[in-house]
Amino acid sequence: MKKKETEFDTGRSEKMSDVQLSKKLGSYQKQARTWLCVGLVGVLGGLIAYFAVQDTTLKVILVAVLFGGGICCAIFVSGDAQKKLKALMQEQMGDFFASELRKAFGPDLHTEKMRIDQPLLESMDLLTGQWEECEIENFHEGSHRGTHFSAANVRLDHVYQRGVPQEGYETCREMVFNGLVLRCETRIQAPSVINVHARSDISPRGILTDNEAFNRRFCIAAEPEADAFYLLTPQFMEFLTQFEERIEGKLSGFRWERDVFTLVLETDYGFAAVASHVDLSDLDAVRSSYIHSLQAMGETLDVLLENIALFKG
């Protein structure tokens, strides 16, 4: 499995004026969206040709040109514009982003126990066997209301080969998870490692609680099994249900090990990020969106810290 980690690059470079930066960001954003639309049209055209064209030779040519070209435009050309967009934004606005992040949650601490990386995701049995690559973005470890925490945006991709021996193979990527990993220090120690993840077709029976809905949704592991019930009380399971409703995210799993509680949430929210719908030519909107993403993390932590039996807040 492969891992990509992205954090803020605040390296010094020649700064553009707001007018120049606005124009450049707007141009890259327009390019990325245009090529994505062209790619989707090409893919759709290729699918139509596959089912509508009767002549085999013509069908092969049209599908190869339209579908293949569409994929190329949507993934490679549009993706290249997105990469340039992100690089330029970090180059020109990285100091602002880093300053706001420190202001909200303090300096980045980078302790070993609060890391968010591929080994952690694998230890949580998150979508086991369904992904080969992970991308971790905007990691930050800091403090909120006196509670030590870390957070990062995480994407998991299934990577596979598609094609036939005579024509060759292409590497394909399919996103299977996009969301947030959040870790918080607890006020008490776990009796042993308690791991809970969303059930799949290959999940074992696991430990069962008295909550049938929770059992259908999650697979629970702990050794000894009795330790699981130290955490999974009826009150705590109700708390998790309310937590999901209030933050508008889907709980994919959690893990309590020593004095660190880790949550994995499937969500469109991006931590320390600019929302995808924002017009990047409007720099005030860019800054506002970034600050709002930090405020949203603070609100999420506030909800979590309401559980004073587990957390210090």
Side-chain angles (χ1 to χ4, degrees):
M1 295 186 182
K2 297 181 180 179
K3 174 184 68 174
K4 303 176 185 176
E5 293 193 21
T6 304
E7 298 184 50
F8 293 117
D9 178 10
T10 58
R12 298 298 174 187
S13 58
E14 184 178 347
K15 293 296 181 181
M16 298 180 178
S17 69
D18 277 7
V19 173
Q20 292 173 317
L21 181 59
S22 170
K23 184 176 180 180
K24 197 71 172 178
L25 289 175
S27 174
Y28 280 147
Q29 186 178 44
K30 185 176 180 180
Q31 287 179 38
R33 289 175 174 175
T34 299
W35 283 113
L36 179 60
C37 289
V38 170
L40 293 176
V41 170
V43 170
L44 180 60
L47 292 174
I48 293 173
Y50 180 81
F51 291 104
V53 177
Q54 302 300 318
D55 183 270
T56 303
T57 303
L58 180 59
K59 178 188 291 189
V60 170
I61 294 174
L62 288 175
V63 170
V65 172
L66 292 173
F67 191 85
I71 292 293
C72 181
C73 289
I75 295 179
F76 297 107
V77 183
S78 176
D80 184 59
Q82 285 283 4
K83 289 178 181 178
K84 290 179 179 178
L85 180 64
K86 286 185 177 181
L88 179 63
M89 191 179 299
Q90 292 302 328
E91 176 186 279
Q92 297 294 320
M93 303 186 74
D95 288 341
F96 168 79
F97 294 154
S99 174
E100 291 298 320
L101 192 55
R102 286 193 299 270
K103 190 187 303 182
F105 303 117
D108 207 353
L109 301 176
H110 281 284
T111 63
E112 186 64 29
K113 76 172 185 177
M114 300 297 280
R115 280 188 59 81
I116 296 175
D117 52 17
Q118 185 167 320
L120 171 69
L121 300 175
E122 291 172 344
S123 72
M124 296 185 70
D125 297 322
L126 186 64
L127 298 170
T128 301
Q130 298 181 46
W131 59 277
E132 290 76 30
E133 287 187 359
C134 70
E135 183 171 346
I136 299 169
E137 290 189 327
N138 300 356
F139 172 86
H140 184 77
E141 180 182 345
S143 178
H144 179 73
R145 287 173 43 190
T147 295
H148 187 187
F149 83 96
S150 64
N153 303 316
V154 173
R155 169 178 167 145
L156 303 179
D157 287 338
H158 171 45
V159 183
Y160 59 97
Q161 299 288 315
R162 181 174 63 187
V164 292
Q166 296 85 348
E167 300 176 6
Y169 294 91
E170 62 174 334
T171 300
C172 301
R173 285 174 173 79
E174 178 183 348
M175 184 178 70
V176 297
F177 174 84
N178 184 62
L180 175 76
V181 175
L182 175 60
R183 312 191 75 191
C184 289
E185 195 171 64
T186 58
R187 58 186 295 271
I188 53 176
Q189 293 265 345
S192 64
V193 178
I194 302 169
N195 199 63
V196 180
H197 65 271
R199 281 197 179 276
S200 67
D201 294 338
I202 63 172
S203 294
R205 180 171 179 268
I207 302 168
L208 301 180
T209 70
D210 292 332
N211 188 324
E212 293 185 5
F214 192 89
N215 294 337
R216 287 193 298 270
R217 186 176 170 191
F218 294 106
C219 180
I220 307 163
E223 184 60 46
E225 292 188 2
D227 284 354
F229 299 101
Y230 185 77
L231 174 66
L232 297 175
T233 62
Q235 293 81 3
F236 184 76
M237 288 185 280
E238 178 62 25
F239 169 77
L240 289 178
T241 299
Q242 295 176 0
F243 176 76
E244 274 189 308
E245 293 172 352
R246 293 171 64 181
I247 65 163
E248 298 181 355
K250 181 181 178 182
L251 184 61
S252 296
F254 54 92
R255 180 182 179 90
W256 189 21
E257 183 175 7
R258 294 188 291 275
D259 62 343
V260 178
F261 184 78
T262 305
L263 274 173
V264 180
L265 298 165
E266 187 172 7
T267 176
D268 292 331
Y269 158 77
F271 169 57
V274 177
S276 60
H277 67 269
V278 172
D279 179 1
L280 299 184
S281 64
D282 184 347
L283 297 187
D284 286 339
V286 170
R287 296 184 182 103
S288 177
S289 177
Y290 181 83
I291 291 172
H292 181 267
S293 79
L294 302 181
Q295 293 170 342
M297 172 55 71
E299 292 166 2
T300 298
L301 286 165
D302 285 341
V303 176
L304 195 62
L305 298 181
E306 288 178 9
N307 189 321
I308 58 176
L310 191 60
F311 302 107
K312 298 176 181 178

